Amino acid sequence: MAEEKYAGYRGSTLDWLKKQGLEVWDEIEVTKADSSIKGVILPRNELADPNFISLKLSTGYNIGFNIEDVLRVRKIGRFQGKYRIPKVEIAQKPALPFVPILGCGGTIASRLDYQTGGTIPALTPEELFSSFPEIAELARVETSLLFDIFSENISFGHYVKILTEIESLIQNDAPQGIVLTHGTDTLAFTAAALSFSITNPPFPIVITGSQRSSDRPSSDSFFNLYNSVLYAASPKAKKEVVVIMHEKSSDTSCTIHRGTRIRKMHSSRRDAFKTIGGSPLGRITERKISFAKEEENLSIEVELKDKPCQITKKFEEKVGLIYHYPGIQPGVLDYYIEAGYKGIVLAGTGLGHVSSNLIPTIKKANENEIVIVTTTQCLHGFTGLSVYESGRQLQKAGVVSVFNILPETAYIKLAYLLGNYRKTEKIIELMKQNLKGEITIREKFQEF
Ligand code: ASP
């Protein structure tokens, strides 16, 4: 691995830099046959083309040049990459409600990485808060960083860490509400995990993220964080796990989604998060929270509201989520049986179907006491295994259809139930019950 001063460079470029007496962060002028350029040598991704050197131009753009094209090079100065937004002391108002912000990484807490040109997790929530002092007008905010990773790297152990922190806040601090900042890619999984694991939370638990990092002018991080803190600090807020994100691509409003019915529907747009198969709980427009009418919500809570708050921190990790596709081979399922999996969620086609060549293996899985449920990869609409012969065969093989639970939510719910209940019948019974608004009674007709 190249030393820090040649970060990311190897082979011919590393030799060239050493020969020229140059290092990363040196400002140089490069003369080529057709042009000359000035810029700062940037660290380079080790996987990038080894013949190129990356320069940051004064315009802010990055370019790469091939060392073979260089006629002359001259060092003209030295620059140090500025990685951190300085922390500033914000005067907190003691009379305001207490809202801790728990940082879990993601774009909302990230900045541009000069090494790869991508974004990397770097800002602590504290630094984020320092960048947006307006939040101090809404609540007494305290930030803590639970982990600083992109959400594609989040797994059950991270859910346990978040739950442990929430448990400690309940026992020691009695906040008005809490906000979690999280990467958007798997935010829906975390929202479902917290929804199932916390029975009757004593305060609202808001999860938010952003699609564009805070160093970009189009960033949604401030708008989402501001509205999340506003909601968490409000006595009007519902005491359950919600996700608050941009409603539209402009800064007009944020939607309040129930934690078990959301999906990221776009890879980059700011309005990517949608409630599927139901109406969102409400919205925040110009600092005003409004809730959808209860009948529009179409969700029912089985949970009894007078039960005390309870947190469980167990998940069965040996649960698979298998997306059906034409040509899928039974060997895919065999893998899960042989590896000792305890549950499988099928994201089936249409009403929840999978190819009949899987039936014998599904039967085998069932004999091995693996709980197999089916959902629909259509996302909208319900499963129904009684309509077609293929569905009836699946039922006979022991597959349980779980209405309109989203595949990701079903995956988390099954991991939660297998982690906390022993009897298969009980797990199946609860899979089919609406525990946290994950099953809606009917889906209101909506144009796509
Ligand atoms: N890949 C990032 C993550 O989920 C994207 C984001 O934060 O928006 O952490």
Side-chain angles (χ1 to χ4, degrees):
M1 191 146 132
E3 299 160 52
E4 191 67 3
K5 54 188 181 177
Y6 305 115
Y9 290 95
R10 62 200 159 91
S12 51
T13 39
L14 178 62
D15 295 343
W16 187 85
L17 284 172
K18 284 184 174 168
K19 198 167 131 215
Q20 305 295 335
L22 295 172
E23 292 172 8
V24 162
W25 303 120
D26 279 346
E27 196 179 0
I28 57 170
E29 181 177 36
V30 179
T31 310
K32 301 192 288 179
D34 53 354
S35 59
S36 111
I37 38 172
K38 280 187 198 163
V40 175
I41 302 177
L42 295 175
R44 189 146 171 87
N45 181 351
E46 297 195 6
L47 302 174
D49 188 324
N51 274 338
F52 280 78
I53 289 194
S54 298
L55 278 193
K56 175 156 284 296
L57 306 181
S58 56
T59 55
Y61 285 105
N62 296 355
I63 60 155
F65 67 85
N66 190 333
I67 50 170
E68 284 168 14
D69 298 336
V70 177
L71 298 180
R72 255 189 336 276
V73 62
R74 187 166 71 91
K75 177 171 165 172
I76 50 178
R78 179 131 181 106
F79 170 87
Q80 200 52 254
K82 201 171 142 202
Y83 273 168
R84 284 181 163 258
I85 291 178
K87 289 180 194 173
V88 291
E89 284 299 317
I90 303 284
Q92 300 265 16
K93 300 194 172 144
L96 289 176
F98 176 49
V99 175
I101 299 180
L102 311 181
C104 305
T107 295
I108 191 156
S110 70
R111 61 165 167 78
L112 190 70
D113 175 21
Y114 291 113
Q115 204 158 338
T116 61
T119 47
I120 55 166
L123 291 181
T124 62
E126 200 169 7
E127 287 164 331
L128 192 73
F129 175 46
S130 309
S131 321
F132 309 128
E134 295 90 331
I135 287 170
E137 299 299 320
L138 300 173
R140 221 164 11 97
V141 179
E142 227 169 63
T143 59
S144 56
L145 189 65
L146 297 191
F147 36 86
D148 199 1
I149 54 176
F150 283 132
S151 73
E152 47 272 37
N153 300 317
I154 285 181
S155 191
F156 294 104
H158 297 99
Y159 303 153
V160 173
K161 187 155 190 194
I162 297 172
L163 289 164
T164 307
E165 183 65 26
I166 294 177
E167 197 171 47
S168 143
L169 284 168
I170 292 173
Q171 282 160 7
N172 306 317
D173 302 275
Q176 176 75 26
I178 63 169
V179 174
L180 271 90
T181 56
H182 195 289
T184 57
D185 287 4
T186 67
L187 191 151
F189 289 83
T190 302
L194 302 189
S195 301
F196 291 118
S197 304
I198 310 173
T199 305
N200 286 335
F203 43 71
I205 298 170
V206 183
I207 313 182
T208 192
S210 77
Q211 292 275 71
R212 322 244 168 103
S213 56
S214 50
D215 51 30
R216 295 174 60 180
S218 64
S219 175
D220 45 343
S221 58
F222 172 66
F223 196 71
N224 291 343
L225 188 66
Y226 184 89
N227 283 301
S228 298
V229 173
L230 181 140
Y231 183 83
S234 166
K236 262 178 90 175
K238 290 186 188 287
K239 292 175 181 169
E240 62 178 289
V241 177
V242 298
V243 171
I244 293 186
M245 294 289 288
H246 256 75
E247 181 173 21
K248 311 234 166 77
S249 47
S250 57
D251 281 355
T252 49
S253 49
C254 268
T255 313
I256 308 159
H257 303 273
R258 178 162 267 154
T260 51
R261 289 224 60 91
I262 36 150
R263 203 158 201 276
K264 179 173 174 172
M265 298 298 281
H266 197 279
S267 58
S268 57
R269 266 167 55 168
R270 307 194 303 170
D271 60 344
F273 278 82
K274 302 289 175 217
T275 289
I276 307 290
S279 306
L281 286 174
R283 64 164 60 84
I284 307 167
T285 317
E286 290 177 4
R287 299 186 196 145
K288 281 210 179 62
I289 301 168
S290 55
F291 290 110
K293 279 190 246 111
E294 220 47 61
E295 62 270 27
E296 265 175 27
N297 242 341
L298 300 178
S299 290
I300 43 160
E301 294 265 337
V302 162
E303 187 176 296
L304 296 170
K305 279 289 173 205
D306 53 5
K307 270 198 204 161
C309 170
Q310 195 193 327
I311 297 188
T312 58
K313 288 179 272 179
K314 287 198 224 122
F315 298 93
E316 171 55 62
E317 298 194 13
K318 291 218 147 172
V319 174
L321 171 56
I322 305 176
Y323 197 91
H324 178 77
Y325 48 87
I328 188 169
Q329 293 302 312
V332 172
L333 275 174
D334 276 323
Y335 163 78
Y336 290 90
I337 299 172
E338 278 152 30
Y341 272 64
K342 305 278 184 284
I344 294 174
V345 174
L346 299 171
T349 57
L351 294 168
H353 301 131
V354 297
S355 154
S356 47
N357 70 337
L358 298 185
I359 301 275
T361 326
I362 288 176
K363 280 190 183 143
K364 194 161 81 184
N366 201 30
E367 282 154 18
N368 280 271
E369 305 224 330
I370 301 178
V371 179
I372 309 189
V373 304
T374 190
T375 61
T376 172
Q377 53 183 252
C378 297
L379 303 182
H380 289 273
F382 288 76
T383 47
L385 296 186
S386 321
V387 181
Y388 295 97
E389 181 51 25
S390 49
R392 286 194 284 270
Q393 292 220 0
L394 280 179
Q395 265 177 318
K396 265 199 229 145
V399 173
V400 177
S401 95
V402 289
F403 311 106
N404 69 341
I405 308 186
L406 295 170
E408 301 92 308
T409 304
Y411 165 75
I412 292 291
K413 184 175 179 182
L414 189 52
Y416 158 77
L417 291 176
L418 283 163
N420 291 284
Y421 295 86
R422 289 231 309 279
K423 291 209 167 103
T424 305
E425 305 78 59
K426 183 72 187 169
I427 291 165
I428 291 173
E429 182 195 317
L430 291 174
M431 260 327 275
K432 294 203 282 190
Q433 267 184 34
N434 180 23
L435 302 181
K436 295 296 170 77
E438 71 277 18
I439 299 173
T440 54
I441 309 161
R442 65 189 162 82
E443 291 192 7
K444 205 168 75 170
F445 180 78
Q446 273 169 338
E447 299 290 352
F448 288 119

